[in-house]
Coordinates of all heavy atoms in Angstrom, one line a residue:
M32 N 127.3 89.4 -72.8 CA 125.9 88.9 -72.9 C 126.0 87.4 -73.2 O 126.7 87.0 -74.0 CB 125.1 89.7 -73.9 CG 124.5 90.9 -73.3 SD 123.5 91.8 -74.5 CE 124.8 92.7 -75.4
K33 N 125.0 86.7 -72.6 CA 125.0 85.2 -72.9 C 123.8 84.9 -73.9 O 122.9 85.7 -74.0 CB 124.7 84.5 -71.6 CG 125.9 84.4 -70.7 CD 125.6 83.7 -69.4 CE 126.9 83.7 -68.5 NZ 126.5 83.4 -67.1
N34 N 124.0 83.8 -74.5 CA 123.0 83.3 -75.4 C 122.6 84.3 -76.5 O 121.4 84.5 -76.8 CB 121.7 82.9 -74.6 CG 122.1 81.8 -73.6 OD1 122.8 80.9 -73.9 ND2 121.5 82.0 -72.4
V35 N 123.5 85.0 -77.1 CA 123.3 85.9 -78.2 C 124.0 85.4 -79.4 O 124.9 84.6 -79.3 CB 123.6 87.4 -77.8 CG1 122.8 87.9 -76.7 CG2 125.1 87.5 -77.5
C36 N 123.7 85.9 -80.6 CA 124.3 85.5 -81.8 C 125.6 86.2 -82.0 O 126.0 87.2 -81.2 CB 123.4 85.8 -83.0 SG 123.1 87.5 -83.2
E37 N 126.4 85.8 -83.0 CA 127.7 86.4 -83.2 C 127.7 87.9 -83.6 O 128.6 88.6 -83.3 CB 128.5 85.6 -84.2 CG 128.0 85.7 -85.6 CD 127.1 84.5 -86.0 OE1 126.4 84.0 -85.1 OE2 126.9 84.2 -87.2
D38 N 126.6 88.3 -84.2 CA 126.4 89.7 -84.6 C 126.4 90.6 -83.4 O 127.1 91.6 -83.4 CB 125.1 89.9 -85.4 CG 125.0 89.0 -86.6 OD1 125.7 89.2 -87.5 OD2 124.2 88.0 -86.5
I39 N 125.7 90.1 -82.4 CA 125.6 90.9 -81.1 C 126.9 90.8 -80.4 O 127.4 91.8 -79.8 CB 124.4 90.5 -80.3 CG1 123.1 90.8 -81.0 CG2 124.4 91.1 -78.9 CD1 121.8 90.4 -80.3
N40 N 127.5 89.6 -80.3 CA 128.7 89.4 -79.6 C 129.9 90.2 -80.2 O 130.8 90.6 -79.5 CB 129.1 87.9 -79.7 CG 128.8 87.2 -78.4 OD1 128.8 87.8 -77.3 ND2 128.5 85.9 -78.5
N41 N 129.8 90.5 -81.5 CA 130.9 91.2 -82.1 C 130.9 92.7 -81.8 O 131.8 93.4 -82.1 CB 130.8 91.0 -83.6 CG 131.4 89.7 -84.0 OD1 132.1 89.0 -83.3 ND2 131.0 89.2 -85.2
I42 N 129.8 93.2 -81.2 CA 129.7 94.6 -80.9 C 130.4 94.9 -79.6 O 130.1 94.3 -78.6 CB 128.2 95.1 -80.9 CG1 127.6 94.9 -82.3 CG2 128.1 96.5 -80.4 CD1 126.2 95.2 -82.4
R43 N 131.3 95.8 -79.7 CA 132.1 96.2 -78.5 C 131.5 97.4 -77.8 O 131.5 97.4 -76.5 CB 133.6 96.5 -78.9 CG 134.3 95.3 -79.4 CD 134.8 94.4 -78.3 NE 135.1 93.1 -78.8 CZ 134.3 92.0 -78.8 NH1 133.1 92.1 -78.2 NH2 134.6 90.8 -79.3
E44 N 131.0 98.3 -78.5 CA 130.5 99.5 -77.9 C 129.3 99.9 -78.7 O 129.3 100.0 -79.9 CB 131.5 100.6 -77.9 CG 131.3 101.8 -77.0 CD 132.5 102.7 -77.0 OE1 133.6 102.3 -76.9 OE2 132.2 103.9 -77.1
F45 N 128.2 100.2 -78.0 CA 126.9 100.5 -78.7 C 127.0 101.9 -79.4 O 127.4 102.9 -78.7 CB 125.7 100.5 -77.8 CG 125.5 99.1 -77.3 CD1 125.2 98.8 -76.0 CD2 125.5 98.0 -78.2 CE1 124.9 97.5 -75.5 CE2 125.3 96.7 -77.8 CZ 125.0 96.5 -76.4
K46 N 126.6 102.0 -80.6 CA 126.4 103.3 -81.2 C 125.2 104.0 -80.7 O 124.1 103.4 -80.6 CB 126.3 103.2 -82.8 CG 127.6 102.8 -83.5 CD 127.3 102.8 -85.0 CE 128.6 102.7 -85.8 NZ 129.4 101.5 -85.4
Q47 N 125.3 105.3 -80.3 CA 124.1 106.0 -79.8 C 123.7 107.0 -80.9 O 124.4 107.4 -81.8 CB 124.5 106.7 -78.5 CG 125.0 105.8 -77.4 CD 123.9 104.8 -76.9 OE1 122.7 105.1 -77.1 NE2 124.2 103.7 -76.4
E48 N 122.4 107.5 -80.7 CA 121.9 108.4 -81.7 C 122.5 109.8 -81.5 O 123.0 110.1 -80.4 CB 120.4 108.5 -81.5 CG 120.0 109.0 -80.1 CD 118.6 109.1 -79.8 OE1 117.8 109.2 -80.8 OE2 118.2 109.0 -78.7
T49 N 122.4 110.6 -82.5 CA 122.9 112.0 -82.4 C 121.7 112.9 -82.2 O 121.8 113.9 -81.5 CB 123.8 112.4 -83.5 OG1 123.1 112.0 -84.7 CG2 125.1 111.7 -83.5
N50 N 120.6 112.6 -82.9 CA 119.4 113.5 -82.7 C 118.2 112.5 -82.7 O 118.2 111.6 -83.5 CB 119.3 114.6 -83.6 CG 119.5 114.2 -85.0 OD1 119.5 113.1 -85.4 ND2 119.7 115.2 -85.9
H51 N 117.2 112.8 -81.9 CA 116.1 111.9 -81.7 C 115.0 112.0 -82.7 O 113.9 112.4 -82.4 CB 115.6 112.1 -80.2 CG 114.8 111.0 -79.7 ND1 115.4 109.8 -79.3 CD2 113.5 110.8 -79.4 CE1 114.5 109.0 -78.8 NE2 113.3 109.6 -78.9
V52 N 115.4 111.6 -83.9 CA 114.4 111.6 -85.0 C 114.6 110.4 -85.9 O 115.7 109.9 -86.0 CB 114.5 112.9 -85.9 CG1 114.2 114.2 -85.1 CG2 115.8 113.0 -86.6
C53 N 113.6 110.0 -86.6 CA 113.8 109.0 -87.7 C 114.2 109.8 -89.0 O 113.5 110.7 -89.4 CB 112.5 108.3 -88.0 SG 112.7 107.3 -89.5
E54 N 115.4 109.5 -89.4 CA 116.0 110.3 -90.5 C 115.2 110.2 -91.8 O 115.1 111.1 -92.6 CB 117.4 109.9 -90.8 CG 118.3 110.1 -89.6 CD 119.8 109.7 -89.8 OE1 120.2 109.5 -90.9 OE2 120.5 109.6 -88.7
E55 N 114.5 109.1 -92.0 CA 113.7 108.9 -93.2 C 112.3 109.6 -93.1 O 111.8 110.2 -94.0 CB 113.5 107.4 -93.6 CG 114.8 106.7 -94.0 CD 115.3 107.3 -95.3 OE1 114.5 107.7 -96.2 OE2 116.6 107.5 -95.4
C56 N 111.7 109.5 -91.9 CA 110.4 110.1 -91.7 C 110.5 111.6 -91.8 O 109.6 112.3 -92.3 CB 109.9 109.7 -90.3 SG 109.1 108.1 -90.3
V57 N 111.7 112.2 -91.3 CA 111.9 113.6 -91.4 C 111.8 114.1 -92.8 O 111.2 115.1 -93.1 CB 113.2 114.0 -90.7 CG1 113.7 115.4 -91.1 CG2 113.0 113.9 -89.2
K58 N 112.4 113.3 -93.7 CA 112.5 113.7 -95.2 C 111.1 113.8 -95.8 O 110.9 114.6 -96.7 CB 113.3 112.7 -96.0 CG 114.7 112.7 -95.7 CD 115.5 111.6 -96.5 CE 116.9 111.4 -96.1 NZ 117.5 110.2 -96.6
T59 N 110.2 112.9 -95.3 CA 108.8 112.9 -95.9 C 107.8 113.5 -95.0 O 106.6 113.4 -95.3 CB 108.4 111.5 -96.3 OG1 108.5 110.7 -95.1 CG2 109.3 110.9 -97.4
N60 N 108.2 114.1 -93.9 CA 107.3 114.8 -93.0 C 106.3 113.8 -92.4 O 105.2 114.1 -92.2 CB 106.6 115.9 -93.7 CG 106.2 117.0 -92.7 OD1 106.7 117.0 -91.5 ND2 105.4 117.9 -93.1
S61 N 106.8 112.5 -92.1 CA 105.9 111.5 -91.6 C 106.1 111.4 -90.1 O 107.1 112.0 -89.5 CB 106.3 110.1 -92.2 OG 106.2 110.2 -93.6
E62 N 105.3 110.7 -89.4 CA 105.4 110.5 -88.0 C 105.8 109.1 -87.7 O 105.7 108.2 -88.4 CB 104.0 110.8 -87.3 CG 103.6 112.2 -87.5 CD 102.4 112.6 -86.7 OE1 101.9 111.7 -85.9 OE2 102.0 113.8 -86.7
W63 N 106.4 108.9 -86.5 CA 106.9 107.6 -86.1 C 106.5 107.4 -84.6 O 106.0 108.3 -83.9 CB 108.4 107.5 -86.2 CG 109.1 108.5 -85.3 CD1 109.5 108.4 -84.0 CD2 109.6 109.8 -85.7 NE1 110.1 109.5 -83.6 CE2 110.2 110.4 -84.6 CE3 109.6 110.5 -86.9 CZ2 110.8 111.7 -84.6 CZ3 110.1 111.8 -87.0 CH2 110.7 112.4 -85.8
V64 N 106.6 106.1 -84.2 CA 106.2 105.8 -82.8 C 107.5 105.7 -81.9 O 107.6 106.4 -80.9 CB 105.4 104.5 -82.8 CG1 105.0 104.1 -81.3 CG2 104.2 104.6 -83.6
H65 N 108.4 104.8 -82.2 CA 109.6 104.6 -81.5 C 110.8 104.6 -82.4 O 110.6 104.3 -83.6 CB 109.5 103.3 -80.7 CG 108.5 103.3 -79.6 ND1 107.6 102.3 -79.3 CD2 108.2 104.2 -78.6 CE1 106.9 102.6 -78.3 NE2 107.2 103.8 -77.8
L66 N 112.0 104.8 -81.8 CA 113.2 104.9 -82.6 C 114.2 103.7 -82.2 O 114.3 103.4 -81.1 CB 113.9 106.2 -82.4 CG 113.0 107.4 -82.9 CD1 113.7 108.7 -82.5 CD2 112.9 107.4 -84.4
R67 N 114.9 103.3 -83.3 CA 115.9 102.3 -83.1 C 117.2 102.8 -83.7 O 117.2 103.6 -84.7 CB 115.5 101.0 -83.8 CG 114.1 100.5 -83.5 CD 114.0 100.0 -82.1 NE 112.6 99.6 -81.8 CZ 111.9 100.0 -80.8 NH1 112.4 101.0 -80.0 NH2 110.7 99.6 -80.5
I68 N 118.3 102.3 -83.3 CA 119.6 102.7 -83.8 C 120.4 101.5 -84.4 O 120.6 100.5 -83.7 CB 120.5 103.3 -82.7 CG1 119.8 104.4 -82.0 CG2 121.8 103.9 -83.3 CD1 120.4 104.7 -80.6
C69 N 120.7 101.6 -85.7 CA 121.5 100.6 -86.4 C 122.9 100.5 -85.8 O 123.5 101.6 -85.7 CB 121.5 100.8 -87.9 SG 122.6 99.7 -88.7
Q70 N 123.3 99.3 -85.4 CA 124.6 99.2 -84.8 C 125.8 99.0 -85.8 O 126.9 98.9 -85.5 CB 124.6 98.1 -83.8 CG 123.7 98.4 -82.6 CD 124.1 99.8 -81.9 OE1 125.2 99.9 -81.4 NE2 123.3 100.8 -82.0
A71 N 125.4 98.9 -87.1 CA 126.4 98.8 -88.1 C 126.8 100.2 -88.6 O 128.0 100.5 -88.8 CB 126.0 98.0 -89.3
C72 N 125.8 101.1 -88.9 CA 126.1 102.4 -89.5 C 125.7 103.5 -88.6 O 126.0 104.7 -88.9 CB 125.5 102.5 -90.8 SG 123.7 102.5 -90.8
G73 N 125.0 103.3 -87.5 CA 124.6 104.4 -86.6 C 123.4 105.2 -86.9 O 123.1 106.1 -86.3
V74 N 122.7 104.8 -88.0 CA 121.5 105.5 -88.4 C 120.4 105.3 -87.4 O 120.2 104.2 -86.9 CB 121.1 105.2 -89.9 CG1 120.5 103.7 -89.9 CG2 120.1 106.1 -90.4
T75 N 119.6 106.4 -87.2 CA 118.4 106.3 -86.3 C 117.2 106.2 -87.2 O 116.9 107.1 -88.0 CB 118.3 107.5 -85.3 OG1 119.5 107.5 -84.5 CG2 117.1 107.3 -84.4
L76 N 116.3 105.2 -87.0 CA 115.1 105.0 -87.8 C 114.0 104.4 -87.0 O 114.2 104.0 -85.8 CB 115.4 104.0 -89.0 CG 116.5 104.5 -90.0 CD1 116.9 103.4 -91.0 CD2 116.0 105.7 -90.8
C77 N 112.8 104.4 -87.5 CA 111.6 104.1 -86.7 C 111.3 102.6 -86.7 O 111.8 101.8 -87.5 CB 110.4 104.9 -87.2 SG 110.0 104.6 -89.0
C78 N 110.6 102.2 -85.7 CA 110.3 100.8 -85.3 C 109.1 100.3 -86.2 O 108.5 101.0 -87.0 CB 109.9 100.7 -83.9 SG 108.3 101.5 -83.5
D79 N 108.8 99.0 -85.9 CA 107.7 98.3 -86.6 C 106.3 98.8 -86.2 O 105.3 98.4 -86.9 CB 107.8 96.8 -86.5 CG 108.8 96.3 -87.5 OD1 109.3 97.0 -88.3 OD2 109.0 95.0 -87.5
S80 N 106.2 99.5 -85.1 CA 104.9 100.1 -84.8 C 104.6 101.4 -85.5 O 103.5 101.9 -85.5 CB 104.8 100.4 -83.3 OG 105.1 99.2 -82.5
S81 N 105.6 101.9 -86.2 CA 105.5 103.1 -86.9 C 105.0 102.8 -88.3 O 105.2 101.7 -88.9 CB 106.9 103.8 -87.0 OG 107.4 104.0 -85.7
P82 N 104.3 103.7 -89.0 CA 103.7 103.5 -90.3 C 104.7 103.0 -91.4 O 104.4 102.1 -92.2 CB 103.1 104.8 -90.7 CG 103.0 105.6 -89.4 CD 104.0 105.1 -88.5
H83 N 105.9 103.5 -91.4 CA 106.8 103.2 -92.5 C 107.9 102.2 -92.2 O 108.6 101.7 -93.1 CB 107.5 104.5 -92.9 CG 106.5 105.5 -93.5 ND1 105.9 105.4 -94.7 CD2 106.0 106.7 -92.9 CE1 105.1 106.4 -94.9 NE2 105.2 107.2 -93.9
K84 N 108.0 101.8 -90.9 CA 108.9 100.7 -90.5 C 110.3 100.9 -91.1 O 110.8 99.9 -91.7 CB 108.3 99.3 -90.9 CG 106.9 99.0 -90.3 CD 106.4 97.7 -90.9 CE 105.2 97.2 -90.1 NZ 104.0 98.0 -90.3
H85 N 110.8 102.0 -91.0 CA 112.1 102.3 -91.7 C 113.3 101.4 -91.3 O 114.1 101.1 -92.1 CB 112.4 103.8 -91.5 CG 111.6 104.7 -92.5 ND1 110.9 105.8 -92.0 CD2 111.4 104.6 -93.8 CE1 110.3 106.3 -93.1 NE2 110.6 105.6 -94.1
M86 N 113.3 101.0 -90.0 CA 114.5 100.2 -89.6 C 114.4 98.8 -90.2 O 115.4 98.3 -90.7 CB 114.6 100.1 -88.1 CG 115.9 99.5 -87.6 SD 117.4 100.3 -88.2 CE 117.7 101.5 -87.0
T87 N 113.2 98.3 -90.3 CA 113.1 96.9 -91.0 C 113.5 97.1 -92.4 O 114.2 96.2 -93.0 CB 111.7 96.4 -90.8 OG1 111.5 96.2 -89.4 CG2 111.5 95.0 -91.5
K88 N 113.0 98.1 -93.1 CA 113.4 98.3 -94.5 C 114.9 98.5 -94.6 O 115.5 98.0 -95.6 CB 112.7 99.6 -95.0 CG 111.2 99.4 -95.3 CD 110.6 100.6 -95.9 CE 109.1 100.4 -96.0 NZ 108.4 101.7 -96.0
H89 N 115.5 99.2 -93.7 CA 117.0 99.4 -93.7 C 117.7 98.1 -93.6 O 118.7 97.8 -94.3 CB 117.4 100.3 -92.5 CG 118.8 100.6 -92.4 ND1 119.5 101.3 -93.3 CD2 119.7 100.2 -91.5 CE1 120.8 101.4 -92.9 NE2 121.0 100.7 -91.8
Y90 N 117.2 97.2 -92.7 CA 117.8 95.9 -92.6 C 117.7 95.1 -93.9 O 118.7 94.5 -94.4 CB 117.1 95.1 -91.5 CG 117.4 93.6 -91.6 CD1 118.7 93.1 -91.4 CD2 116.4 92.6 -91.8 CE1 119.0 91.8 -91.5 CE2 116.7 91.3 -91.9 CZ 118.0 90.9 -91.8 OH 118.3 89.5 -91.9
H91 N 116.6 95.1 -94.6 CA 116.5 94.3 -95.8 C 117.3 94.9 -96.9 O 117.8 94.2 -97.8 CB 115.0 94.3 -96.2 CG 114.2 93.4 -95.3 ND1 114.5 92.0 -95.1 CD2 113.2 93.6 -94.5 CE1 113.6 91.5 -94.3 NE2 112.8 92.4 -93.8
R92 N 117.5 96.2 -96.9 CA 118.2 96.9 -98.0 C 119.7 96.8 -97.7 O 120.5 96.6 -98.6 CB 117.8 98.3 -98.0 CG 118.1 99.0 -99.3 CD 117.5 100.4 -99.3 NE 117.9 101.2 -98.2 CZ 117.1 102.0 -97.5 NH1 115.8 102.1 -97.8 NH2 117.5 102.6 -96.4
S93 N 120.2 97.0 -96.5 CA 121.6 97.1 -96.2 C 122.2 95.8 -95.6 O 123.4 95.7 -95.5 CB 121.8 98.3 -95.2 OG 121.2 97.9 -94.0
N94 N 121.3 94.9 -95.0 CA 121.8 93.7 -94.3 C 122.6 94.1 -93.1 O 123.5 93.4 -92.7 CB 122.6 92.9 -95.3 CG 122.5 91.4 -94.9 OD1 121.5 91.0 -94.3 ND2 123.5 90.6 -95.3
H95 N 122.2 95.2 -92.4 CA 122.7 95.5 -91.1 C 121.8 94.9 -90.1 O 120.7 95.5 -89.9 CB 122.8 97.0 -90.9 CG 123.8 97.7 -91.8 ND1 123.7 99.1 -92.0 CD2 124.8 97.2 -92.5 CE1 124.7 99.4 -92.8 NE2 125.4 98.3 -93.2
P96 N 122.1 93.8 -89.4 CA 121.1 93.1 -88.6 C 120.8 93.6 -87.2 O 119.8 93.3 -86.7 CB 121.7 91.7 -88.6 CG 123.2 91.9 -88.6 CD 123.4 93.1 -89.5
V97 N 121.8 94.3 -86.6 CA 121.6 94.6 -85.2 C 121.2 96.0 -84.9 O 121.8 97.0 -85.4 CB 123.0 94.3 -84.4 CG1 122.8 94.5 -82.9 CG2 123.4 92.8 -84.7
V98 N 120.2 96.2 -84.1 CA 119.7 97.5 -83.7 C 119.5 97.5 -82.1 O 119.3 96.5 -81.5 CB 118.3 97.8 -84.3 CG1 118.5 97.8 -85.8 CG2 117.2 96.9 -83.9
I99 N 119.6 98.7 -81.6 CA 119.2 98.9 -80.2 C 118.1 99.9 -80.1 O 117.8 100.7 -81.1 CB 120.4 99.4 -79.3 CG1 120.9 100.8 -79.7 CG2 121.5 98.4 -79.2 CD1 121.8 101.4 -78.7
S100 N 117.4 99.9 -79.0 CA 116.3 100.9 -78.8 C 116.9 102.2 -78.5 O 117.9 102.3 -77.8 CB 115.4 100.5 -77.6 OG 114.5 101.5 -77.4
A101 N 116.3 103.3 -79.1 CA 116.7 104.6 -78.8 C 115.8 105.3 -77.8 O 116.0 106.5 -77.5 CB 116.7 105.5 -80.1
E102 N 114.9 104.5 -77.2 CA 114.0 105.1 -76.3 C 114.6 105.2 -74.9 O 115.3 104.3 -74.4 CB 112.7 104.2 -76.2 CG 111.9 104.2 -77.5 CD 111.6 105.5 -78.1 OE1 111.1 106.4 -77.3 OE2 111.9 105.8 -79.3
P103 N 114.4 106.4 -74.2 CA 115.0 106.5 -72.9 C 114.5 105.5 -71.9 O 113.3 105.1 -71.9 CB 114.4 107.9 -72.5 CG 114.1 108.6 -73.7 CD 113.6 107.5 -74.7
G104 N 115.4 104.9 -71.2 CA 115.1 103.9 -70.2 C 115.0 102.4 -70.8 O 114.9 101.5 -70.0
E105 N 115.0 102.3 -72.1 CA 115.0 101.0 -72.7 C 116.5 100.6 -73.1 O 117.2 101.3 -73.8 CB 114.2 101.0 -74.0 CG 112.7 101.1 -73.8 CD 111.9 100.9 -75.0 OE1 112.4 100.5 -76.1 OE2 110.7 101.1 -75.0
R106 N 116.9 99.4 -72.6 CA 118.2 99.0 -72.8 C 118.2 97.5 -73.4 O 118.4 96.6 -72.6 CB 119.1 99.0 -71.5 CG 119.3 100.4 -71.0 CD 119.9 100.4 -69.6 NE 121.2 99.8 -69.6 CZ 122.3 100.4 -69.9 NH1 122.4 101.6 -70.3 NH2 123.5 99.7 -69.8
W107 N 117.8 97.5 -74.6 CA 117.8 96.1 -75.3 C 118.3 96.2 -76.7 O 118.4 97.3 -77.3 CB 116.4 95.5 -75.2 CG 115.3 96.3 -75.8 CD1 114.4 97.1 -75.1 CD2 115.0 96.5 -77.2 NE1 113.5 97.7 -76.0 CE2 113.8 97.4 -77.3 CE3 115.5 96.0 -78.4 CZ2 113.3 97.7 -78.5 CZ3 114.9 96.4 -79.6 CH2 113.8 97.2 -79.7
I108 N 118.7 95.0 -77.2 CA 119.4 94.9 -78.5 C 118.6 93.8 -79.2 O 118.1 92.8 -78.6 CB 120.9 94.6 -78.3 CG1 121.6 94.7 -79.6 CG2 121.1 93.3 -77.6 CD1 123.1 94.8 -79.4
W109 N 118.6 93.9 -80.5 CA 117.8 93.0 -81.4 C 118.6 92.7 -82.6 O 119.1 93.6 -83.3 CB 116.4 93.6 -81.7 CG 115.7 92.9 -82.8 CD1 115.5 93.3 -84.0 CD2 114.9 91.6 -82.6 NE1 114.7 92.4 -84.7 CE2 114.3 91.4 -83.9 CE3 114.7 90.7 -81.6 CZ2 113.6 90.2 -84.1 CZ3 114.0 89.6 -81.8 CH2 113.4 89.4 -83.1
C110 N 118.7 91.4 -83.0 CA 119.3 91.0 -84.2 C 118.1 90.5 -85.2 O 117.5 89.5 -84.8 CB 120.3 89.9 -84.1 SG 120.9 89.3 -85.6
Y111 N 117.9 91.2 -86.3 CA 116.9 90.8 -87.2 C 117.2 89.4 -87.8 O 116.3 88.6 -88.0 CB 116.8 91.8 -88.4 CG 116.1 93.1 -88.1 CD1 116.8 94.2 -87.9 CD2 114.7 93.1 -88.1 CE1 116.1 95.4 -87.6 CE2 114.0 94.3 -87.9 CZ 114.7 95.4 -87.6 OH 114.0 96.6 -87.4
K112 N 118.5 89.2 -88.1 CA 118.8 88.0 -88.9 C 118.5 86.7 -88.1 O 118.0 85.8 -88.6 CB 120.3 88.0 -89.2 CG 120.8 86.9 -90.1 CD 122.2 87.1 -90.7 CE 123.3 87.4 -89.8 NZ 124.6 87.5 -90.4
H113 N 118.9 86.7 -86.8 CA 118.7 85.5 -85.9 C 117.5 85.7 -85.0 O 117.3 84.8 -84.2 CB 120.0 85.3 -85.1 CG 121.2 85.1 -86.0 ND1 122.2 86.0 -86.2 CD2 121.5 84.0 -86.7 CE1 123.1 85.5 -87.0 NE2 122.7 84.3 -87.4
E114 N 116.9 86.8 -85.0 CA 115.7 87.1 -84.2 C 116.1 86.9 -82.7 O 115.4 86.1 -82.0 CB 114.5 86.3 -84.6 CG 114.1 86.6 -86.0 CD 112.7 86.0 -86.4 OE1 112.4 84.9 -85.9 OE2 112.0 86.7 -87.2
V115 N 117.2 87.5 -82.3 CA 117.7 87.4 -81.0 C 117.4 88.7 -80.2 O 117.8 89.8 -80.8 CB 119.2 87.1 -80.9 CG1 119.8 87.2 -79.5 CG2 119.5 85.7 -81.5
Y116 N 116.9 88.6 -79.1 CA 116.6 89.8 -78.2 C 117.4 89.6 -76.9 O 117.4 88.5 -76.3 CB 115.1 89.8 -77.9 CG 114.7 90.8 -76.9 CD1 114.4 92.1 -77.2 CD2 114.7 90.5 -75.5 CE1 114.0 93.1 -76.2 CE2 114.3 91.4 -74.5 CZ 114.0 92.7 -74.9 OH 113.6 93.6 -74.0
A117 N 118.0 90.7 -76.5 CA 118.8 90.6 -75.2 C 118.7 92.0 -74.6 O 118.7 93.0 -75.3 CB 120.2 90.2 -75.4
E118 N 118.7 92.0 -73.2 CA 118.8 93.2 -72.5 C 120.2 93.4 -72.0 O 121.0 92.5 -71.9 CB 117.8 93.2 -71.3 CG 116.4 93.1 -71.8 CD 115.3 93.2 -70.7 OE1 115.7 93.4 -69.6 OE2 114.2 93.1 -71.1
Y119 N 120.6 94.7 -71.9 CA 122.0 94.9 -71.5 C 122.0 95.9 -70.3 O 121.0 96.6 -70.0 CB 122.9 95.4 -72.6 CG 122.5 96.7 -73.3 CD1 123.0 97.9 -72.8 CD2 121.5 96.7 -74.4 CE1 122.6 99.1 -73.4 CE2 121.2 97.9 -74.9 CZ 121.7 99.1 -74.5 OH 121.3 100.3 -75.0
Ligands
ZN483 ZN1 122.6 87.8 -85.4
ZN484 ZN1 110.7 106.4 -90.1
ZN485 ZN1 122.7 100.4 -90.8

């Protein structure tokens, strides 16, 4: 990919989800809108359109900057730290 940050460049193979749920929302019986997958640890969490914004919280807590969309048909990657968006 061109014009991306080193965080994205360092990823060789994208981590994919294992089950299509937000792991944090499931614990509290909450609902989510869309799902993202952390590329550092592989956790699947919800997006910023969701009430709890679990992936953004995960970034601030863990400093794992890079996520991909878990939505079918969406092929994009995002780095929170550098605010870089790229399609793949
Ligand atoms: Zn970055
Ligand atoms: Zn969630
Ligand atoms: Zn993570």
Side-chain angles (χ1 to χ4, degrees):
M32 275 183 276
K33 287 180 179 160
N34 303 319
V35 296
C36 63
E37 68 267 25
D38 305 288
I39 293 176
N40 258 331
N41 284 338
I42 294 173
R43 294 282 161 261
E44 198 175 312
F45 294 135
K46 287 186 169 55
Q47 300 295 336
E48 61 182 336
T49 48
N50 47 16
H51 200 69
V52 298
C53 172
E54 297 180 16
E55 291 299 320
C56 283
V57 162
K58 288 179 193 166
T59 56
N60 210 14
S61 306
E62 296 193 0
W63 61 84
V64 179
H65 291 133
L66 296 172
R67 311 291 179 236
I68 307 159
C69 175
Q70 294 303 296
C72 67
V74 69
T75 301
L76 296 168
C77 56
C78 70
D79 277 357
S80 302
S81 306
H83 296 289
K84 302 179 170 63
H85 281 128
M86 189 55 88
T87 298
K88 285 180 188 161
H89 178 70
Y90 164 61
H91 289 299
R92 201 173 53 223
S93 65
N94 212 24
H95 294 164
V97 180
V98 302
I99 64 169
S100 175
E102 297 306 312
E105 290 188 6
R106 293 171 62 84
W107 55 258
I108 189 162
W109 167 255
C110 175
Y111 281 104
K112 185 165 57 176
H113 300 104
E114 300 191 327
V115 171
Y116 170 90
E118 297 186 1
Y119 64 88

